[in-house]
């Protein structure tokens, strides 16, 4: 005989209650989704003109979660969601609402997932699941007239930020520099938060392209990362920088371009992240050298370093020993930098056994 679990029954009840709530609202219609890929319902705002309902095209997607005993504390209801699902919801160009349905009391609370993730994007790249708080004031039946229409129509602050984030993704796909500058300016105008999603999204796209990206492909992503790090680099953590640069036991050319932008835009913040030590710890000694090299010449941006490479000090210690650019390689660095950027320095590095003095200085630095 076919069987149905208690959780399946609860889920069916919750979906019926959620759909019924929208159908009872005078300014909404609600449709089921035939294939459940993380979206259970779709609701559309309607206009009523002379007694006739007119569809508006303003939509929200809905994921329904039913519960018999919700977890309540700190003026909110908590539910555990998979981070893969949150990433999926964050890709939508229309709002995605989570509806938490108490099938016993028939109370329904909602959370707009994309807005919730603004400024919290780091949770998408940590554990496989996270506890999400649904505020107790987000009562669905109290929101049909004002809050939900504003979300569907895209007139909230969160909607504006989402729109600019999507514009940034579109402009970056073909690297429209002027448009990217305008979109970045809008992100700064709207406030903090949106840059994290864009940064992590760009890194995810870079990683998915595989470890053997061509130089042309690296340049495509590198230009975007330079733009991002020069503008928003002071908001990045050391973990985000490592994710940008490190690929297994090697490193990304595009990621190095992003590191270049970080040192160009925010040298003090880059130094405060203690990146040289972090790269030493994972035995990325060329990158450790690069960080020490840039920090020693922090008053110079990457182009100024290129123009002065023949005169600059390049010998710096790493845990593997001293690395430096030989005098005979500096002309090569100068000639190749316009096409290879700072990668040419790492390709020109030579190893020198550390002196006792350098060993003592390094020990002092690591205390």
């Amino acid at each position: 005989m076919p069987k149905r679990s208690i959780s399946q029954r609860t889920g069916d009840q919750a979906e019926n209650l959620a759909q019924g709530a929208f159908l009872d609202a005078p300014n909404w219609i609600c449709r089921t989704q035939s294939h459940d890929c993380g979206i259970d319902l779709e609701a559309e705002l309607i206009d009523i003109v002379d007694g006739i309902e007119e569809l508006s095209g303003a939509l929200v997607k809905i994921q329904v979660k039913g519960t018999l005993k919700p977890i309540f504390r700190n003026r909110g209801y908590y539910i555990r969601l998979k981070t893969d699902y949150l990433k999926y919801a964050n890709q939508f160009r229309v709002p995605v609402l989570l509806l938490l349905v108490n099938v016993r009391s028939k109370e329904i609370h909602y959370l707009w997932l994309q807005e919730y993730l603004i400024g919290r994007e780091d949770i998408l790249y940590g554990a496989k699941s996270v506890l999400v708080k649904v505020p107790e004031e987000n009562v669905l039946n109290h929101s049909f007239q004002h809050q939900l229409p504003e979300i569907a129509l895209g007139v909230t602050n969160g909607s504006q930020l989402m729109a600019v984030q999507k514009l940034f993704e579109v402009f970056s796909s073909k690297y429209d520099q002027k448009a990217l500058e305008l979109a970045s300016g809008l992100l700064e105008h709207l406030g903090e938060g949106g840059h994290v999603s864009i940064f992590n999204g760009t890194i995810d796209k870079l990683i998915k392209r595989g470890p053997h990206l061509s130089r042309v492909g690296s340049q495509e992503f590198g230009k975007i990362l330079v733009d991002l790090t020069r503008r928003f680099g002071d908001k990045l953590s050391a973990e985000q920088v490592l994710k940008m640069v490190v690929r297994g036991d090697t490193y990304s050319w595009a990621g190095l371009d992003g590191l270049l932008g970080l040192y160009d835009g925010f040298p003090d913040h880059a130094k405060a992240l203690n990146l040289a030590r972090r790269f030493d710890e994972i035995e990325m000694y060329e990158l450790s050298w690069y960080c020490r090299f840039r920090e020693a010449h922090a008053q110079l941006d990457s182009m100024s370093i290129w123009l002065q490479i023949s005169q600059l000090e390049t010998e710096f210690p790493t845990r593997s020993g001293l690395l430096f650019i030989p005098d005979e390689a500096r002309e090569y660095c100068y000639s190749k930098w316009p096409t290879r950027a700072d990668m040419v320095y790492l390709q020109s590095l030579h190893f020198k056994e550390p002196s006792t003095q350098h060993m003592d200085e390094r020990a002092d630095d690591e205390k």
Side-chain angles (χ1 to χ4, degrees):
M1 294 290 291
K3 296 180 180 180
R4 183 171 67 159
S5 68
I6 296 297
S7 62
Q8 288 174 320
R9 175 183 174 85
T10 301
D12 291 343
Q13 289 176 312
E15 188 171 326
N16 288 334
L17 287 168
Q19 186 175 18
F22 274 94
L23 293 175
D24 288 341
N27 55 332
W28 291 89
I29 61 170
C30 189
R31 299 178 280 264
T32 59
Q33 302 292 276
S34 57
H35 299 287
D36 183 3
C37 297
I39 300 298
D40 298 312
L41 304 170
E42 177 185 88
E44 183 172 354
L45 189 64
I46 60 176
D47 296 319
I48 301 177
V49 180
D50 297 329
I52 304 298
E53 295 182 350
E54 295 184 358
L55 301 180
S56 68
L59 303 171
V60 295
K61 299 287 187 177
I62 299 168
Q63 170 72 352
V64 180
K65 294 290 186 181
T67 179
L68 296 171
K69 189 177 180 181
I71 302 170
F72 181 81
R73 62 175 183 268
N74 300 325
R75 301 189 61 186
Y77 298 92
Y78 286 80
I79 183 170
R80 184 166 291 279
L81 298 177
K82 293 181 179 180
T83 50
D84 281 347
Y85 175 72
L86 289 173
K87 287 181 184 178
Y88 172 66
N90 207 35
Q91 295 304 308
F92 274 80
R93 294 179 181 268
V94 297
V96 179
L97 302 182
L98 170 71
L99 299 190
L100 183 60
V101 182
N102 185 334
V103 298
R104 286 177 174 165
S105 68
K106 296 182 173 50
E107 292 180 343
I108 305 175
H109 292 79
Y110 72 91
L111 181 68
W112 178 14
L113 291 177
Q114 293 107 317
E115 184 182 56
Y116 176 81
L117 289 170
I118 294 172
R120 297 186 177 95
E121 290 89 350
D122 282 350
I123 68 174
L124 299 177
Y125 302 91
K128 292 185 178 180
S129 65
V130 293
L131 272 178
V132 172
K133 179 181 179 181
V134 182
E136 66 172 340
E137 64 268 22
N138 286 9
V139 180
L140 184 68
N141 287 336
H142 299 167
S143 306
F144 286 124
Q145 292 297 324
H146 300 292
Q147 291 92 339
L148 294 187
E150 289 181 352
I151 292 173
L153 292 168
V155 296
T156 68
N157 290 338
S159 301
Q160 293 173 359
L161 186 54
M162 284 173 52
V164 176
Q165 288 175 334
K166 296 304 180 185
L167 281 175
F168 195 102
E169 293 175 7
V170 171
F171 297 147
S172 66
S173 65
K174 296 297 183 182
Y175 192 67
D176 185 330
Q177 183 176 4
K178 182 61 177 178
L180 282 171
E181 290 175 358
L182 293 171
S184 296
L186 283 172
L187 280 175
E188 290 181 310
H189 171 70
L190 293 173
E192 297 182 8
H195 67 281
V196 179
S197 176
I198 291 172
F199 179 84
N200 283 324
T202 302
I203 298 303
D204 283 348
K205 290 178 183 178
L206 177 59
I207 292 173
K208 288 177 182 177
R209 294 283 289 271
H212 305 298
L213 197 63
S214 68
R215 182 53 183 155
V216 172
S218 294
Q219 286 176 328
E220 170 191 341
F221 283 100
K223 290 175 181 177
I224 299 168
L225 289 174
V226 168
D227 282 353
L228 282 172
T229 51
R230 281 177 174 162
R231 192 174 289 269
F232 303 117
D234 60 333
K235 310 298 192 304
L236 301 180
S237 67
E239 285 68 28
Q240 288 172 311
V241 175
L242 264 63
K243 182 181 179 183
M244 173 177 69
V245 180
V246 177
R247 297 291 176 272
D249 59 356
T250 186
Y251 48 87
S252 160
W253 280 37
L256 181 63
D257 288 340
L259 193 59
L260 176 158
L262 175 62
Y263 275 104
D264 274 6
F266 303 96
D268 291 339
H269 178 68
K271 184 175 182 179
L273 295 178
N274 212 354
L275 295 172
R277 179 181 62 80
R278 296 294 297 269
F279 286 126
D280 264 334
E281 289 172 349
I282 58 175
E283 299 182 356
M284 295 283 184
Y285 300 121
E286 297 98 330
L287 295 173
S288 175
W289 171 90
Y290 178 81
C291 295
R292 289 183 168 90
F293 171 64
R294 291 301 307 263
E295 289 164 16
H297 307 296
Q299 75 280 9
L300 302 175
D301 63 13
S302 54
M303 181 167 288
S304 299
I305 286 177
W306 165 57
L307 294 173
Q308 300 178 44
I309 189 62
S310 61
Q311 295 95 33
L312 295 178
E313 173 62 47
T314 68
E315 184 176 297
F316 297 99
T318 70
R319 286 189 180 179
S320 70
L322 292 175
L323 295 177
F324 71 104
I325 299 175
D327 290 342
E328 60 271 19
R330 294 180 186 240
E331 182 60 34
Y332 174 82
C333 290
Y334 180 83
S335 64
K336 296 296 184 181
W337 188 88
T339 56
R340 299 188 183 182
D342 284 7
M343 177 60 75
V344 71
Y345 303 143
L346 276 63
Q347 294 173 330
S348 303
L349 286 176
H350 280 53
F351 174 81
K352 179 190 292 185
E353 289 290 345
S355 65
T356 303
Q357 178 184 358
H358 276 117
M359 292 291 287
D360 292 341
E361 290 174 352
R362 189 178 69 189
D364 290 340
D365 289 341
E366 294 176 356
K367 285 182 179 179

